[in-house]
Amino acid sequence: MKKIKLLFAIFAAALLLPSCTNDGGTSTIDLKVGAVPNITKTAGTDNFINLISLGKGGSFNLGLTVAVAQGEVSSMDIVGSYTKGTTVSRAIMKANVTTFPANLNFTTNDLIAAFTVLNSKSDFGLGDKFTVSAILTLKDGSILKLLNDDGTANYGADIANSNKYTLLQSYPVSCPSDLGGTYSVISSGMSTDSGPAPSKNPITNYPYEVTITDNGGGSYTLSDGYAGLYQLWYDIYSITRDYPGKFTDVCGTLSGSYIEPFSANVKLTGTVNADGTLSIRWENDYGDYGNSVFTKI
């Protein structure tokens, strides 16, 4: 299945010329479009929305720098998405930004004013999330949206897996978190693909080493989102390096989503255990999965 998709992707790439259609931002953004932003958190500002602090009457200041990573960008609308349960609300936080890099700040009052689901500090709830992305207007008039209206990604695997820029920033409503470090990982899992050798699939107690990078505010990046299992199974398809994954820690509950090398979606769930280990499960749209225990080295 994945072999066919990989061959199709290579064939399609050979046929496509760099282009972008002015469709109002409904097409999935790929590197062939040639324009992406770089949105980074400002040092010294809040990395997450501290629910404990809000409960004591505190407030937050979310600082961002928005730059053009590549491409001919005329302007950007900075879009905020607030997720509460299954409801995703969207608002333009700053319209028609034309000077880059742009330094922006969003406060507690800014979010309350922007989203109808928030009327006061007491409406911020554990597990809520504020995400900042952008709508790009290119110099040729094309319009590119990074996120769809339901909060899902509107870009391809090449952009999602790049380490050269950050397309969006998320601020979970959470508790303080400290999970960064290097971990020894033991994984068991199964691939639905017919390619891996029987000795590799299914696999039990496969060892690997993963670094978890603390991005601040309970947001983390895994150096390899599959703890070595993709390389074990799919070296036959030239998967021979780490592919990062991302997750968020909300008071000990881990969750995340990212795009794997064959462009399928991956969902991550997990917990922080009482002994400090992490139990993490990932599963992709094909049905491949891995269950891992992370022990900090």
Side-chain angles (χ1 to χ4, degrees):
M1 175 188 351
K2 297 175 182 67
K3 183 176 182 181
I4 293 172
K5 187 164 186 178
L6 182 62
L7 291 173
F8 176 79
I10 294 171
F11 177 71
L15 295 178
L16 285 171
L17 293 175
S19 63
C20 176
T21 302
N22 184 2
D23 60 1
T26 59
S27 295
T28 300
I29 303 170
D30 196 85
L31 277 180
K32 67 177 183 290
V33 170
V36 288
N38 187 32
I39 304 175
T40 56
K41 294 181 178 179
T42 304
T45 63
D46 292 311
N47 286 316
F48 71 108
I49 298 173
N50 191 327
L51 186 62
I52 296 174
S53 175
L54 287 176
K56 295 179 180 179
S59 59
F60 55 79
N61 174 33
L62 312 177
L64 294 159
T65 298
V66 180
V68 177
Q70 66 179 52
E72 297 295 321
V73 176
S74 175
S75 66
M76 294 188 205
D77 288 343
I78 307 306
V79 181
S81 300
Y82 194 87
T83 303
K84 179 178 280 294
T86 58
T87 301
V88 180
S89 305
R90 299 175 73 253
I92 301 297
M93 305 300 295
K94 184 74 173 180
N96 196 35
V97 177
T98 57
T99 301
F100 304 100
N103 296 312
L104 305 173
N105 291 82
F106 302 119
T107 65
T108 311
N109 290 335
D110 290 333
L111 268 65
I112 292 173
F115 301 104
T116 57
V117 294
L118 301 173
N119 295 304
S120 67
K121 292 179 180 179
S122 63
D123 290 325
F124 290 89
L126 183 65
D128 292 0
K129 181 174 65 174
F130 174 59
T131 302
V132 179
S133 63
I135 298 175
L136 285 66
T137 299
L138 307 188
K139 291 184 178 179
D140 65 1
S142 302
I143 298 174
L144 307 178
K145 294 168 61 176
L146 296 181
L147 296 180
N148 298 310
D149 290 345
D150 62 359
T152 57
N154 188 40
Y155 44 83
D158 50 359
I159 292 178
N161 292 325
S162 174
N163 59 5
K164 296 181 179 179
Y165 38 74
T166 306
L167 299 182
L168 52 85
Q169 291 292 340
S170 292
Y171 297 88
V173 180
S174 185
C175 312
S177 176
D178 183 20
L179 301 181
T182 301
Y183 289 76
S184 173
V185 184
I186 300 296
S187 300
S188 298
M190 184 181 73
S191 167
T192 57
D193 192 81
S194 61
S199 61
K200 298 180 178 180
N201 183 39
I203 191 69
T204 302
N205 296 331
Y206 184 73
Y208 206 70
E209 188 173 292
V210 175
T211 298
I212 297 180
T213 301
D214 189 342
N215 302 317
S219 175
Y220 295 92
T221 298
L222 297 158
S223 59
D224 186 49
Y226 316 93
L229 294 187
Y230 259 49
Q231 294 177 66
L232 176 71
W233 293 330
Y234 303 133
D235 56 347
I236 54 177
Y237 304 140
S238 299
I239 302 299
T240 56
R241 66 173 178 86
D242 288 350
Y243 284 84
K246 296 181 179 180
F247 71 90
T248 300
D249 171 24
V250 179
C251 300
T253 298
L254 312 180
S255 63
S257 62
Y258 40 95
I259 300 175
E260 51 95 83
F262 303 102
S263 297
N265 294 311
V266 178
K267 297 294 183 183
L268 179 150
T269 57
T271 58
V272 179
N273 302 314
D275 61 0
T277 62
L278 311 179
S279 295
I280 289 179
R281 175 184 174 89
W282 61 263
E283 184 169 353
N284 65 26
D285 287 343
Y286 300 115
D288 303 351
Y289 68 87
N291 293 310
S292 304
V293 175
F294 286 60
T295 303
K296 186 174 282 190
I297 298 174

